């Protein structure tokens, strides 16, 4: 007898192979056998006739770093079939934070206040131990972020102090030794935007020594897209590191239609031996800190310096000129020029009455300019966030269809009017772009959600469905899968995902979350031993 048998579903192996009707036997936390009409009995059996059975989805790009510390278990990813999340993206990991000063610099970008938790000084190893003690709802694998390293070694100063780069390298070394799955940067945000290419390449070299990838929110996803890709590939050449381009896009109305240009640059790089992949969420809107719309120089010196600049009318006017000049390619000008005030919706703010409203609406109500409205909203809450329109649908589809692109939700914490991608990214791909359009076949979509990410980040035993694999599985109905969420009603449950299995335990049972915190903290370089034997029966 085995623990669980899922019978009669169309099994997808995660590698893009067309599905085959078969049974899946699970014993303990491992897949024991896969094949038609398995002659085994399960302590529990699930009838998956007419449904697809796939490896648990792996979210390549998330910001769920502090979600495990929330008071209640958060099943917003499990409901989508996501069993593993890669956190610590865009240069913003929850550790290492070496002292209280680093914590204060980090707090505005940590989402801790939104999640109802706090942060404190800790090593990367301490952070992983704390997640384990809290009990994550799904598996967590963390990158180490450049912002966090820089804040710990150099505060919010623009120029590196003597020895700061070496301190960053040592902290990165410690993080990789503790189990960080890679290095991330957010070169559009402060303080990452203060770094030159040499600084990033020096850290990427540390990642290469540990054979860990480099995931980057590039320096520019709009006007300077080609130059940003060139910098990314130069870092890869100089360090040897394999590269993940985060949330691939062509941002801003003037850049719509440049998605194929980004893809061509990636394919050309692979042709000359650079190991580059990317990820994407399937929406034309994005989400970020409202402060990211401001020029990066406004944040030099930390939160108090930012508030002083925001409060001074002459200073605001000077920075507005820089923000507007971003449309002509002025570097580090922020994202203001990529969008318009009428589509910048405030998604999270300390003043709840502002949530769900646009910057244009706030400006009209207060009879001030849109720029002054943005500055006032950020002044009141430097950690405020926005959902805003950025991309064209044609670019979204072109990028999504490319075989180099995995799926990553880029979610924030599941509160307020956070982007609906946090609750519906994966069902949206399957419902809208596999079933409804259709753009890609179901087996290819599942590959993008499983083995592609597992391979890039070295998630041993995950991302595929075969004997010996960790028993992370999702059972879904392609006819009904989807997500009804909207920008102002994002926290809707997906449809069409009746079962999710997490390391052999049923976590979503007939569409209902069991309430358990059965996720594991994954550590790179620490493979999980098999806890049961398995048969060689395969598809």
């Amino acid at each position: 007898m085995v623990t669980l048998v899922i019978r009669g579903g169309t099994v997808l192996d995660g590698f893009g192979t067309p599905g085959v009707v078969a049974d899946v036997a699970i014993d303990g936390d491992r897949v024991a056998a896969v094949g038609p009409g398995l002659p085994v009995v399960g302590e529990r059996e699930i009838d998956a006739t007419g449904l697809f059975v796939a490896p648990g989805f792996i979210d390549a790009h998330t910001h769920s770093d502090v979600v495990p510390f929330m008071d209640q278990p958060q099943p917003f990813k499990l409901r989508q079939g996501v069993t593993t999340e890669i956190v610590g993206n865009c240069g913003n990991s929850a550790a290492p934070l070496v002292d209280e000063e680093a914590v204060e610099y980090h707090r505005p970008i940590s989402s801790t206040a939104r999640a109802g938790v706090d942060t404190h000084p800790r090593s990367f190893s301490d952070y992983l131990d704390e997640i384990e003690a809290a009990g994550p709802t799904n598996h967590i694998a963390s990158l180490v972020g450049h912002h966090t390293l820089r804040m710990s070694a150099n505060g919010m100063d623009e120029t590196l102090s003597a020895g700061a780069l070496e301190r960053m390298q040592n902290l990165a070394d410690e993080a990789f030794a503790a189990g960080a799955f890679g290095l991330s940067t957010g070169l559009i945000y402060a303080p990452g935007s203060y770094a030159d290419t040499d600084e990033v390449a020096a850290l990427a070299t540390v990642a290469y020594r540990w054979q860990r990838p480099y995931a980057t929110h590039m320096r520019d996803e709009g006007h300077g897209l080609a130059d940003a890709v060139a910098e990314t590939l130069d870092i890869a050449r100089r360090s040897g590191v394999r590269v993940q381009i985060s949330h691939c896009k062509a941002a801003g109305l003037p850049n719509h239609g440049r998605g194929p240009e980004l893809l061509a640059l990636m394919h050309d790089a692979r042709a000359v031996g650079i190991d580059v992949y990317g990820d994407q969420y399937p929406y034309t809107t994005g989400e970020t800190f409202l402060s990211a719309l401001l020029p990066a120089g406004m944040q030099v010196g930390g939160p108090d310096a930012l508030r002083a600049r925001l409060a001074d009318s002459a200073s605001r006017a000077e920075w507005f000129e820089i923000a507007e000049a971003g449309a002509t390619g002025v570097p580090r000008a922020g994202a203001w020029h990529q969008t318009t005030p009428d589509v910048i919706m405030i998604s999270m703010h300390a003043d709840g009455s502002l949530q769900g409203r646009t910057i244009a609406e706030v400006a009209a109500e207060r009879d001030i300019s849109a720029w002054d409205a943005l500055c006032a909203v950020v002044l009141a809450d430097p950690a405020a966030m926005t959902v805003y329109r950025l991309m064209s649908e044609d670019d979204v589809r072109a990028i999504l269809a490319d075989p180099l692109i995995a799926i990553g939700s880029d979610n924030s914490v599941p509160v307020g009017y956070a982007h609906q991608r946090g609750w519906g990214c994966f069902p949206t791909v399957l419902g809208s772009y596999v079933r409804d359009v259709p753009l890609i076949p179901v087996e290819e979509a599942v590959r993008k959600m499983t083995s592609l990410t597992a391979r890039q980040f070295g998630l041993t035993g995950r991302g595929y469905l075969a004997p010996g694999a960790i028993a992370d599985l999702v059972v879904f109905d392609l006819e009904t899968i989807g997500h009804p969420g909207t920008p102002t009603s994002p926290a809707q449950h997906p449809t069409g995902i009746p079962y999710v299995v997490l390391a052999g335990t049923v976590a979503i049972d007939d569409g209902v979350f069991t309430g358990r915190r059965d996720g594991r903290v994954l550590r790179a370089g620490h493979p999980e031993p098999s806890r049961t034997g398995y048969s060689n029966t395969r598809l």
Side-chain angles (χ1 to χ4, degrees), residues 47 69 86-87 97 167 169 196 216 226 299 304 420 469 522:
D47 182 4
F69 303 132
I86 309 291
V87 304
L97 295 168
R167 288 194 293 274
Q169 290 175 305
D196 59 18
T216 180
Q299 298 187 60
D304 289 342
Q420 70 249 42
L522 309 183

Side-chain angles (χ1 to χ4, degrees), residues 59-62 77 280-281 407-411 421-422 425-426:
D59 195 332
H61 186 102
T62 88
K77 285 299 183 63
Q280 181 204 33
Y281 50 83
I407 307 302
S409 69
D410 197 13
N411 68 279
R421 64 196 183 193
C425 173
F426 289 76

Side-chain angles (χ1 to χ4, degrees), residues 2-6 23-27 30-35 38 40-41 465 467 471 473:
V2 296
T3 309
L4 175 67
V5 181
I6 301 173
D23 302 335
V24 179
I26 296 167
D27 199 15
R30 299 278 173 161
V31 175
V34 181
L38 288 179
V40 295
V41 176
L465 206 172
L473 288 86

Side-chain angles (χ1 to χ4, degrees), residues 89-91 144-147 183-187 200 214-218 246:
N89 280 285
C90 294
V144 61
H146 174 221
H147 289 332
L183 169 72
S184 77
T185 58
L187 298 177
V200 180
Y214 166 52
T216 180
H217 180 151
M218 297 186 298
S246 299

Side-chain angles (χ1 to χ4, degrees), residues 362-375:
V362 173
E365 179 184 277
R366 301 184 184 183
D367 194 25
I368 56 178
S369 72
W371 176 255
D372 281 339
L374 170 65
C375 291

Side-chain angles (χ1 to χ4, degrees), residues 42 70 116 121 125 153 186 188 195 209 218 248 264 266 303 312 339 345 353 370 380 407 415 450 454 491 495 508 525:
M70 296 175 74
S125 179
I188 197 171
R209 187 165 69 246
M218 297 186 298
C248 292
M266 293 173 67
D312 181 77
T339 187
M345 186 191 80
S353 68
I407 307 302
V415 299
T450 57
T495 56
I508 299 294

Side-chain angles (χ1 to χ4, degrees), residues 240-252:
V241 77
R242 63 186 186 274
V243 174
Q244 181 83 359
I245 297 179
S246 299
H247 38 59
C248 292
K249 63 172 72 74

Side-chain angles (χ1 to χ4, degrees), residues 289-360:
F289 293 99
L290 271 170
S291 60
L293 276 65
L294 306 172
M298 293 185 75
Q299 298 187 60
V300 171
D304 289 342
L306 171 63
R307 291 187 184 95
R309 295 180 181 110
L310 291 169
D312 181 77
S313 60
S315 174
R316 289 198 304 272
E318 292 174 2
W319 287 107
F320 175 69
E321 296 300 321
I322 296 173
E324 288 281 278
T328 63
V330 172
R332 294 169 45 190
W336 171 256
H337 66 280
Q338 293 181 348
T339 187
T340 55
D342 58 309
V343 294
I344 304 172
M345 186 191 80
I346 303 163
S347 60
M348 297 184 202
H349 198 279
D351 179 355
S353 68
L354 292 174
Q355 293 180 167
R357 303 177 64 195
T358 68
I359 292 297

